[in-house]
Amino acid sequence: MKFILVTDVGSTTTKARLFKRTETGWRYVISGEAPTTVEAPYEDVTMGVCNAIREVEELTGLTILNHEHEGIIVPFNEGKGVDFYCTTSSAGGGLQMLCLGLIKEITAESANRAALGAGAIVMDIVALDDGRADYEKIKRIRSMRPDMVLMAGGADGGATGLVLELAELLKAADPTPRLGEGYSLPLVYAGNRDLRSHIKELFSDKFALTIVDNLRPVLEVENSEPARRAIHELFMEHVMSHAPGYTKLMKWTDVPIMPTPAGEGLAMQLIASRFQSNVLGVGLGGATTNVYSIVDGRFVRSVSANLGMSYSICNVLKEAGIDNIIRWLPFEVDKEDIENRLRNKMIRPTTIPDTLEDLLLEHAVAREALRLALEHHKTIATRLKGVAVAKTISERFERLGKELEETYIKMIDIGIIAGTGGLLSHAPRRVQSLLILTDAFQPEGVTRVFQDSVFMMPHLGVLSTVYPDIAWEIFDKDCLVRLGTVVAPIGSLEEGQDAMDITLEIPNGEVLQKEIRFGEIIKIPLPEGVEARAIIRTQRGLSIDMEGRRELETTVMGGVVGVILDLRGRPLRLPEDAEKRREKIKTWFKSLDLYPEEAYEEDKAHDHE
Amino acid sequence: MIMNKYDIEKSVITHAYTPGLQIKESVIVRKVRRLPIKGEVIVNIGDIVDYNDIIAKSKIPGDPYTVKASYMLKCEPDEVPRYMIKKVGDAVKKDEIIAKFTGFFGLIKNIVTSPVDGYIESLSTASGQIIIRETPKDIAVDAYIPGKVIRILHNEGAIIETNAAFIQGIFGVGGENHGEIVVAVDSPKDILTEEHIIRNYKGKIVVGGALVTGEALKKAIEIGVKGIVTGGIRNSDLRSLLGYDIGVAITGYEDIGLTLIITEGFGKMDMSYRTFNLLKKFEGELAHVNGETHIRAGVIRPEIIIPHSRITANYNEQEKLEAGMKPGTTVRVIRSPYFGKLAKVVSLPPELRKSKTESYVRVVEIELDNNQRVIVPRANVEIIEE
């Protein structure tokens, strides 16, 4: 094998990435990009794919496209073609699903997690106890145009009558598939196995029904793998094959087309398995933000469908509120002006910041988008609810209420944060993306921070299903940018009080010592590829690890930014007073050399016309 | 500055250029008019239709209502058929008894009534549930624009074609509306205030300048103005108009009493002379407007269509693909600094340039109206079609 080509057919852009085996192993070579051609007048995704590949051809001189018989030349032979081709896709809005379950916090929640884990956007979650009357649920289902439905409900041998009521409600609502009336809507049934014959009777004529093992065979177990696999198969068989040009594209690929977020999720899992660490990953997009967590081997994905940096920028404004956005700016602003600027970005989403003020504003929005996306993720990454045996109904509901808060995502347990997406990749200084991730997620203890160099996590994710070692080799060398390590003790002290001292023993023999006061954030350069032994001691009132200890000996990873010593406290609290807050932000930004000096000079950062 | 490994990688990524909004005096406009579900098309190819003529109609199935009959009758699910008074397929009236259980010599009476007018769609002996579907509702689709039927979409609708002036806005709210164009201000720089909105504007499409105030919008709705077209709007006024903040720009379904079309953006933004003059030229003529906006893949922008036969658009011209940017092309800057300014392209440097934000981007050198030459990212200009 010499060449591998992978594409991602995004909703607006199709991105091709070429990989090559060199003397030093597999490497990323070049990218080609072109607008996606899923919409009219083209209505054939392969046109966009060919255009993106053509750009790769022009940049490399390699012939990849088969001009005689359409498609891609596979394998590489006599200087032409590639040895392997695969693709991910999120064109046309990705995979949009409706989930149903009996109890909102038990089977409906499991259905939601399974659909999200398979890379879907969940349009709604319907449960018997979701607070809506039946007619409201039916109206909602009728107004949706999903690509697929996942229905769970009842443990094996458990509830039947109520699950059937829910099934009949779905049948009566008769949801219209997004891809038109001539299309049988795929339905995955992953509920009580005793009802399979009834389910077949109800749905076989109008739905493309697939029955899989119960998502919650018993309350204590969530078995999402069969449902997830069925979703992927149906995505290929039904959804993709009805999208314009996909039948052709499916013939070109060597492995099934995968939803883009599923590819991205695999890449995050690859990081977790290779580094043997808990990972919190994020894909900050223009329209949606995906958060992935792999904690103690459990993989969970959440998608915040309307949190993003271009199409959805005003939804971040709406959800976070203007005050939460401007709190990250080091200069005084007019709220009305900021709102208008964000609205203008929403209506012209492909524009890019051309002033420092605009750049800082987008970075401020990114912090809030990421913060909200993590909050959302925590509501999904929860312990299984309803497993404890409750004696009475009221006790059970009381317990469910408490369990709502029980996410198992604790930042002190997260060893790696990994970010991808346009805003992070295009940040002019890498330290900017590191601080955006730090401010939004507030890592605790010692956390390594990575980011995607060029958007290729979905590509490497799908590739890893066939060639995991090659995918990792490219991932390690050309995709994962090591930004550095954040050292952030938990707790709070008085401003200016001695807070932490750290000794770094660098492999070249150099020993660095630093003493940091509370309220400060500083950067110690430590190059990429270098690891240093660190001895960290915090003052009383601060702790540095999950045991609550004040001393830690560990290894810190270098990176393009280095080691960040963040003594701003956890949780991070910004001063209430606006002027003091702006001063504080300015001090932190300057300490990390985050932006050019002009960014902090009054009026200079503003537009000059 | 020496570019590092990652800068070089970043440089491979290029930005798509924003296509210009269409502002055309004469163009062939084709509108696809489709029913939401299959139905009957009542026009034929070649028919001449007015904007309010119905072209297709159908009956939309009513909403289904679930009735938990076995609970109400206090019987087992498989016993429900025994107590049914009506059978599947029967028409029923609201509150009409559809099933009844009588026990203990008439002392116990459990009844099931229909929650709506409709018919019994199904009865499940497994769950004991009855589904009653409401009576179907009539739906129809009109032509929206006057013109000629050029294609029939079998069982779905038709395509209507007309010669018209066609102006796209950047953002709108409110759906389809029709009314005579009236220009309420003297210049595209003027602000449309409540003083400009007079009683005579009832039923009309009112054109303003750089901004419409919240008070003007309120008065326009009170009077019965059908539409407002203006350069800009303050976000706070849009919020007051709708009663909520828009999160994602997918609009067109707002029930606010008029259609609002913004041609330039948020804040005070002079309407482009080209748009303003074109609307002025068609003052007094009937316009068909739609505020529907979808900003995502498959973008939909709001539109103003003014059918006329003064200048006939050339079909060949219509097929011509839009040319890209080249020296001399007129463009508009769509991001600060210089937001809203018109300019001519001077050159298109092929290499990436470092912008004020320190990003390396593809740029365009432009000359502003005041002869000042500046460099801006290519992603931040849109082509103004001449």
Side-chain angles (χ1 to χ4, degrees):
Chain A
M1 285 226 302
K2 191 164 184 188
F3 288 106
I4 291 173
L5 179 74
V6 190
T7 55
D8 170 57
V9 184
S11 56
T12 50
T13 312
T14 299
K15 305 144 198 112
R17 306 288 183 252
L18 182 71
F19 307 111
K20 185 184 178 185
R21 199 188 65 215
T22 66
E23 286 173 4
T24 56
W26 280 93
R27 302 298 300 258
Y28 157 75
V29 182
I30 204 85
S31 298
E33 304 203 351
T36 294
T37 48
V38 73
E39 311 269 349
Y42 313 105
E43 290 182 336
D44 180 355
V45 281
T46 59
M47 288 172 69
V49 171
C50 287
N51 290 340
I53 296 172
R54 209 161 285 128
E55 203 171 294
V56 170
E57 289 184 324
E58 283 165 16
L59 291 164
T60 57
L62 179 71
T63 301
I64 300 171
L65 293 167
N66 189 333
H67 297 288
E68 284 168 30
H69 307 288
E70 275 198 326
I72 293 160
I73 302 168
V74 180
F76 173 76
N77 188 23
E78 295 176 0
K80 287 181 181 177
V82 294
D83 296 290
F84 183 80
Y85 170 66
C86 61
T87 189
T88 54
S89 172
S90 57
L95 168 63
Q96 302 191 9
M97 286 186 69
L98 163 68
C99 292
L100 293 102
L102 199 54
I103 307 287
K104 190 178 157 200
E105 289 172 354
I106 304 176
T107 43
E109 192 174 284
S110 291
N112 180 40
R113 263 196 295 265
L116 287 168
I121 286 175
V122 176
M123 305 169 85
D124 204 344
I125 309 156
V126 174
L128 279 189
D129 65 338
D130 67 13
R132 292 176 284 193
D134 280 358
Y135 77 92
E136 287 176 302
K137 289 172 196 161
I138 289 172
K139 276 203 166 137
R140 174 73 184 123
I141 296 172
R142 289 188 80 185
S143 71
M144 277 187 278
R145 293 168 70 86
D147 291 319
M148 204 184 290
V149 181
L150 171 62
M151 185 181 163
D156 286 341
T160 53
L162 291 171
V163 181
L164 270 180
E165 273 181 30
L166 187 74
E168 284 163 10
L169 184 144
L170 171 67
K171 191 180 179 189
D174 192 16
T176 313
R178 185 161 61 120
L179 295 167
E181 286 186 64
Y183 162 84
S184 286
L185 186 63
L187 166 66
V188 178
Y189 175 72
N192 186 348
R193 68 174 170 209
D194 298 351
L195 288 171
R196 287 178 179 180
S197 59
H198 290 286
I199 294 290
K200 269 186 201 158
E201 209 175 295
L202 269 176
F203 294 108
S204 292
D205 58 337
K206 285 197 86 175
F207 289 75
L209 176 68
T210 301
I211 294 177
V212 297
D213 287 350
N214 196 341
L215 255 174
R216 295 288 287 268
V218 289
L219 278 177
E220 294 77 10
V221 174
E222 186 172 274
N223 176 28
S224 57
E225 194 51 28
R228 194 193 62 75
R229 264 203 312 273
I231 292 168
H232 277 181
E233 278 163 24
L234 289 166
F235 177 67
M236 281 294 290
E237 279 172 34
H238 291 265
V239 185
M240 284 285 95
S241 60
H242 284 75
Y246 276 94
T247 316
K248 212 194 296 179
L249 186 63
M250 280 155 71
K251 287 183 190 146
W252 296 2
T253 59
D254 294 317
V255 291
I257 302 170
M258 182 179 275
T260 305
E264 205 166 71
L266 283 173
M268 297 295 178
Q269 291 175 81
L270 205 56
I271 299 175
S273 71
R274 297 288 170 152
F275 286 95
Q276 289 292 300
S277 172
N278 289 338
V279 172
L280 184 66
V282 64
L284 175 60
T288 61
T289 294
N290 290 282
V291 177
Y292 309 86
S293 62
I294 302 102
V295 174
D296 300 333
R298 188 178 181 198
F299 169 69
V300 170
R301 166 187 173 243
S302 64
V303 54
S304 300
N306 287 326
L307 292 177
M309 291 308 302
S310 58
Y311 299 98
S312 308
I313 197 164
C314 282
N315 208 52
V316 182
L317 168 69
K318 187 178 169 181
E319 302 246 321
I322 184 78
D323 290 332
N324 274 330
I325 289 173
I326 62 176
R327 69 187 169 136
W328 297 108
L329 295 174
F331 42 74
E332 200 175 348
V333 290
D334 172 38
K335 287 185 191 176
E336 172 105 30
D337 174 54
I338 294 293
E339 283 186 352
N340 288 337
R341 274 169 193 256
L342 295 178
R343 290 256 167 239
N344 282 323
K345 169 81 179 186
M346 170 188 82
I347 57 177
R348 291 182 170 102
T350 55
T351 60
I352 55 174
D354 195 26
T355 65
L356 281 169
E357 190 178 77
D358 266 5
L359 181 75
L360 266 74
L361 175 59
E362 288 200 8
H363 286 178
V365 177
R367 285 173 169 88
E368 287 303 304
L370 292 170
R371 179 180 67 81
L372 292 170
L374 178 59
E375 271 179 24
H376 179 210
H377 185 81
K378 285 178 176 174
T379 65
I380 291 164
T382 56
R383 292 184 179 85
L384 288 186
K385 290 166 196 157
V387 294
V389 180
K391 284 177 191 155
T392 64
I393 295 282
S394 63
E395 201 179 303
R396 178 173 213 161
F397 278 99
E398 199 180 314
R399 197 181 295 277
L400 285 175
K402 281 180 195 158
E403 283 168 344
L404 260 183
E405 296 162 17
E406 279 190 20
T407 178
Y408 54 82
I409 304 283
K410 304 271 181 275
M411 289 314 295
I412 190 70
D413 298 334
I414 302 295
I416 293 174
I417 290 175
T420 177
L423 180 128
L424 297 171
S425 302
H426 296 141
R429 296 184 185 184
R430 294 285 183 192
V431 64
Q432 291 163 359
S433 41
L434 186 144
L435 193 68
I436 290 167
L437 288 166
T438 302
D439 288 345
F441 289 167
Q442 297 190 32
E444 295 174 354
V446 179
T447 315
R448 285 172 283 180
V449 186
F450 296 153
Q451 94 170 52
D452 201 355
S453 61
V454 182
F455 180 78
M456 59 172 148
M457 281 203 192
H459 304 73
L460 295 175
V462 64
L463 183 62
S464 76
T465 60
V466 192
Y467 298 113
D469 291 332
I470 294 176
W472 174 250
E473 199 174 345
I474 301 162
F475 206 56
D476 188 35
K477 288 178 187 156
D478 295 317
C479 173
L480 271 191
V481 180
R482 274 79 169 165
L483 294 176
T485 302
V486 176
V487 178
I490 308 159
S492 184
L493 296 177
E494 286 295 316
E495 185 77 15
Q497 198 180 328
D498 286 342
M500 184 177 89
D501 59 79
I502 185 169
T503 306
L504 289 181
E505 296 172 10
I506 300 166
N508 65 6
E510 201 181 339
V511 177
L512 282 172
Q513 276 191 314
K514 277 274 176 195
E515 288 178 1
I516 312 105
R517 281 171 298 193
F518 192 77
E520 289 180 343
I521 182 167
I522 62 167
K523 176 175 71 175
I524 301 175
L526 185 67
E528 208 175 353
V530 176
E531 288 192 338
R533 186 167 162 264
I535 303 151
I536 305 161
R537 287 188 199 88
T538 62
Q539 296 295 321
R540 194 180 296 277
L542 297 177
S543 62
I544 192 66
D545 69 1
M546 59 187 85
E547 310 295 333
R549 282 185 287 243
R550 285 171 43 213
E551 281 190 34
L552 181 70
E553 273 192 46
T554 187
T555 305
V556 292
M557 174 194 81
V560 289
V561 175
V563 179
I564 298 288
L565 307 177
D566 183 356
L567 270 293
R568 298 176 300 170
R570 291 290 185 272
L572 171 61
R573 288 193 183 92
L574 301 179
E576 291 285 326
D577 178 74
E579 205 170 315
K580 282 187 187 152
R581 189 177 59 243
R582 286 195 290 272
E583 266 316 303
K584 201 80 211 159
I585 297 275
K586 200 186 288 185
T587 311
W588 293 338
F589 285 8
K590 280 187 170 185
S591 167
L592 298 181
D593 193 22
L594 206 64
Y595 297 100
E597 273 299 309
E598 303 94 271
Y600 317 113
E601 294 168 17
E602 292 298 325
D603 301 327
K604 275 225 171 170
H606 291 60
D607 301 345
H608 1 232
E609 292 190 21
Chain B
M1 181 186 167
I2 298 165
M3 290 168 83
N4 66 32
K5 172 183 156 194
Y6 297 120
D7 288 330
I8 293 164
E9 283 164 355
K10 273 190 281 179
S11 73
V12 176
I13 313 278
T14 56
H15 293 279
Y17 311 137
T18 307
L21 299 174
Q22 290 200 51
I23 307 162
K24 306 226 173 190
E25 184 170 359
S26 189
V27 67
I28 305 290
V29 175
R30 294 187 189 101
K31 298 307 287 184
V32 176
R33 307 296 291 166
R34 212 189 279 267
L35 287 164
I37 57 163
K38 288 199 189 312
E40 184 194 357
V41 181
I42 55 174
V43 289
N44 296 304
I45 289 180
D47 284 359
I48 303 296
V49 291
D50 205 351
Y51 71 89
N52 50 5
D53 286 346
I54 300 297
I55 60 138
K57 59 183 185 179
S58 185
K59 283 190 186 297
I60 199 156
D63 285 335
Y65 285 77
T66 53
V67 178
K68 295 175 178 32
S70 61
Y71 293 116
M72 296 162 95
L73 293 167
K74 297 190 174 60
C75 68
E76 291 301 315
D78 59 358
E79 292 172 347
V80 174
R82 209 188 295 171
Y83 305 114
M84 289 295 289
I85 294 171
K86 298 278 180 179
K87 56 182 187 304
V88 172
D90 281 357
V92 290
K93 291 277 174 204
K94 188 173 189 294
D95 298 328
E96 187 179 348
I97 297 173
I98 54 174
K100 186 162 90 175
F101 166 80
T102 312
F104 263 120
F105 309 102
L107 288 174
I108 300 170
K109 276 187 190 158
N110 299 329
I111 56 161
V112 178
T113 56
S114 171
V116 285
D117 289 351
Y119 65 95
I120 299 178
E121 183 176 87
S122 67
L123 159 64
S124 166
T125 52
S127 67
Q129 194 166 239
I130 298 169
I131 308 280
I132 298 173
R133 195 170 288 273
E134 266 186 313
T135 315
K137 293 166 195 152
D138 290 327
I139 52 158
V141 61
D142 65 19
Y144 172 48
I145 53 169
K148 189 173 164 185
V149 177
I150 60 156
R151 205 179 131 196
I152 300 295
L153 308 166
H154 186 59
N155 290 341
E156 286 185 285
I159 300 177
I160 317 292
E161 180 184 282
T162 194
N163 191 86
F166 183 73
I167 297 166
Q168 282 182 315
I170 190 79
F171 177 78
V173 286
E176 293 171 0
N177 249 317
H178 313 270
E180 195 182 288
I181 294 271
V182 57
V183 180
V185 293
D186 296 329
S187 115
K189 294 175 181 295
D190 290 349
I191 294 174
L192 186 65
T193 64
E194 70 182 304
E195 284 75 38
H196 289 106
I197 309 290
I198 54 171
R199 298 245 155 241
N200 283 356
Y201 289 171
K202 183 179 178 184
K204 297 194 172 160
I205 308 290
V206 179
V207 177
L211 184 81
V212 57
T213 66
E215 291 74 24
L217 282 166
K218 200 172 156 205
K219 192 167 171 196
I221 293 167
E222 279 166 17
I223 285 174
V225 167
K226 291 283 186 183
I228 298 270
V229 183
T230 176
I233 185 172
R234 290 189 200 101
N235 183 51
S236 50
D237 289 332
L238 180 69
R239 186 189 299 131
S240 305
L241 174 70
L242 298 173
Y244 59 88
D245 266 314
I246 286 181
V248 181
I250 294 174
T251 67
Y253 308 101
E254 302 75 17
D255 188 13
I256 48 171
L258 52 68
T259 300
L260 171 69
I261 295 177
I262 303 300
T263 61
E264 315 302 316
F266 283 84
K268 183 175 176 288
M269 302 241 162
D270 297 353
M271 185 183 285
S272 84
Y273 273 100
R274 194 179 155 86
T275 307
F276 187 79
N277 291 340
L278 197 55
L279 289 166
K280 184 100 186 151
K281 193 168 179 179
F282 287 94
E283 190 161 15
E285 300 202 22
L286 184 63
H288 310 278
V289 298
N290 188 358
E292 187 177 10
T293 309
H294 290 195
I295 300 172
R296 58 180 178 185
V299 63
I300 296 174
R301 296 285 185 186
E303 64 190 12
I304 303 153
I305 300 167
I306 312 163
H308 68 86
S309 51
R310 280 185 241 165
I311 313 161
T312 311
N314 185 338
Y315 267 90
N316 297 332
E317 192 77 7
Q318 192 87 7
E319 302 303 324
K320 198 175 73 181
L321 288 173
E322 284 171 19
M325 251 190 304
K326 54 181 190 244
T329 304
T330 306
V331 293
R332 176 165 39 191
V333 186
I334 53 172
R335 181 105 192 206
S336 62
Y338 321 112
F339 196 153
K341 299 233 183 276
L342 285 179
K344 290 268 183 210
V345 172
V346 176
S347 68
L348 294 149
E351 74 281 5
L352 299 173
R353 295 270 180 97
K354 192 177 176 181
S355 80
K356 287 171 211 131
T357 64
E358 299 184 331
S359 288
Y360 284 87
V361 292
R362 286 207 189 284
V363 295
V364 54
E365 185 186 11
I366 53 172
E367 188 170 293
L368 303 172
D369 279 350
N370 62 2
N371 297 330
Q372 187 191 355
R373 285 190 176 190
V374 294
I375 286 178
V376 294
R378 283 189 206 179
N380 291 358
V381 297
E382 64 185 12
I383 298 172
I384 301 285
E385 289 179 41
E386 300 284 1

